[in-house]
Amino acid sequence: MIKVAALVGSIRKDSYNMKLTQFMKDRYRDHLDIQVVTIRDLAHYDQDIEEEAPASVQRFKSEVAEADAFLIVTPEFNHSIPGVLKNALDWLSRGDREMANKATFIAGATMGALGTVRAQMQLRQILNSPGMGANVLPGNEILIGSVQNKIDENGKLTDPQTIDFIDNVVDQFIPFVEAQTEKVHS
């Protein structure tokens, strides 16, 4: 079982991106152990406190350190990722660099037509930066536009084409993680 730390860039109560993450957690539970790691209460990144990071940061970094892989699910705010997600990534780029060399895949849902495409482009740049060094699954972008039309009244994703597409991405991600894990252990 692949242990996946999920970072969800939306912290609002009725977040479409959290609903998408929960859908993925439930649907792929036989292959991926997806655990949402909360980023809501993280202290703002500050190099002055980096060496003696607050308890919220220490807890966060400890939770993600054991992951085999990462899932980042982001909304798009003003053509970018939310500040709360950027803050979490900044903490992960320092010290032990918990995401370095780990398989990562990205998803995002929005009510707009473009499905977080701009945010995901920026996110890929951030994840590929020298400080992060994540191994991002190439060529597979889960961009869900008009998400409000693809979920039911209980918040469950129901659109067959979207579900088939996500299935395909997960089918690509599993061997990608396995290949990354083999490299680390050889």
Side-chain angles (χ1 to χ4, degrees):
M1 177 83 59
I2 299 169
K3 186 174 180 181
V4 179
L7 305 180
V8 182
S10 176
I11 57 174
R12 76 180 183 89
K13 185 177 80 173
D14 246 358
S15 164
Y16 288 120
N17 286 281
M18 185 60 82
K19 290 174 183 179
L20 172 59
T21 305
Q22 189 61 50
F23 167 83
M24 294 175 75
K25 178 178 176 151
D26 294 343
R27 184 165 180 89
Y28 308 113
R29 69 180 168 269
D30 292 341
H31 304 288
L32 303 175
D33 177 16
I34 298 174
Q35 297 299 316
V36 176
V37 181
T38 186
I39 61 176
R40 174 185 287 278
D41 299 322
L42 286 178
H44 293 283
Y45 174 75
D46 179 349
Q47 192 172 10
D48 291 340
I49 62 171
E50 183 179 317
E51 294 298 318
E52 295 179 26
S56 63
V57 173
Q58 291 177 30
R59 194 169 36 253
F60 169 69
K61 289 173 75 75
S62 175
E63 285 181 48
V64 301
E66 299 301 316
D68 300 313
F70 288 86
L71 165 63
I72 301 178
V73 186
T74 186
E76 183 170 295
F77 295 172
N78 300 315
H79 296 185
S80 185
I81 65 171
V84 67
L85 178 57
K86 177 66 166 73
N87 184 57
L89 295 173
D90 286 344
W91 278 113
L92 293 176
S93 74
R94 309 300 291 182
D96 292 333
R97 297 179 54 229
E98 291 81 5
M99 290 185 76
N101 301 312
K102 291 203 179 169
T104 302
F105 69 130
I106 301 170
T110 184
M111 292 174 68
L114 296 179
T116 72
V117 68
R118 292 178 189 104
Q120 287 194 35
M121 287 182 351
Q122 278 193 337
L123 185 54
R124 282 180 181 276
Q125 287 180 319
I126 293 165
L127 294 172
N128 288 321
S129 71
M132 295 300 302
N135 289 327
V136 181
L137 179 66
N140 290 274
E141 299 168 327
I142 301 172
L143 305 163
I144 303 174
S146 303
V147 67
Q148 71 278 13
N149 301 325
K150 297 175 181 174
I151 61 172
D152 66 17
E153 62 278 352
N154 298 315
K156 301 288 184 199
L157 189 62
T158 57
D159 182 67
Q161 287 179 308
T162 302
I163 293 169
D164 287 347
F165 183 78
I166 296 171
D167 286 347
N168 184 47
V169 172
V170 171
D171 287 346
Q172 301 297 315
F173 187 65
I174 291 170
F176 183 72
V177 175
E178 291 168 348
Q180 298 299 316
T181 305
E182 287 175 19
K183 284 181 188 177
V184 170
H185 295 299
S186 33

